[in-house]
Amino acid sequence: MFLGRWIAGRRLLGLICKWLQAGIMLDGRVVAATKGIPQGAVISLLLANIYLHYVLDLWARQWRQRHARGDLIVLRYADDGVVGFRTQWQAQQFLVQLQERLAKFG
């Protein structure tokens, strides 16, 4: 499990798994969750931060060291973010590679 890399407590991992499988309330009925977390769920910000730390933050730091020419800034708050570049070409290269990376993690 992806979260097992960042969370050592088995009890917490079990609780998160139950939360992800709990489903959502839709028109008075519980509908099984098939993918992801309902937007606005209490746990969503925690899981978004764990996911984005690994999938975006750490990767962007490596990308900056290997590929950036000039300034590169990454600002992220919870699941919102802005990435700034000196050139449009760098921004386009980053976007293509970020899309590939995000696709790997669904």
Side-chain angles (χ1 to χ4, degrees):
M1 173 190 254
F2 182 81
L3 292 173
R5 183 177 183 103
W6 299 102
I7 300 172
R10 281 189 268 165
R11 286 179 139 171
L12 183 55
L13 284 173
L15 179 62
I16 291 171
C17 286
K18 286 181 183 180
W19 202 308
L20 292 173
Q21 296 167 356
I24 59 171
M25 186 71 81
L26 187 63
D27 296 327
R29 302 181 296 122
V30 175
V31 178
T34 57
K35 187 175 177 182
I37 319 163
Q39 185 170 348
V42 176
I43 195 86
S44 66
L45 287 178
L46 171 67
L47 296 180
N49 270 305
I50 293 168
Y51 173 83
L52 289 171
H53 175 72
Y54 180 72
V55 174
L56 175 63
D57 299 341
L58 298 177
W59 176 81
R61 187 176 303 149
Q62 290 177 351
W63 195 93
R64 176 186 291 140
Q65 293 169 349
R66 294 178 185 162
H67 304 288
R69 302 290 179 261
D71 294 334
L72 167 70
I73 187 166
V74 178
L75 299 173
R76 189 173 67 76
Y77 178 76
D79 58 353
D80 295 320
V82 176
V83 184
F85 300 87
R86 178 157 314 267
T87 68
Q88 182 176 350
W89 183 85
Q90 279 190 71
Q92 291 168 334
Q93 294 301 309
F94 183 90
L95 179 59
V96 167
Q97 292 176 27
L98 178 59
Q99 289 170 331
E100 292 169 359
R101 179 154 178 88
L102 291 173
K104 290 179 185 177
F105 292 92

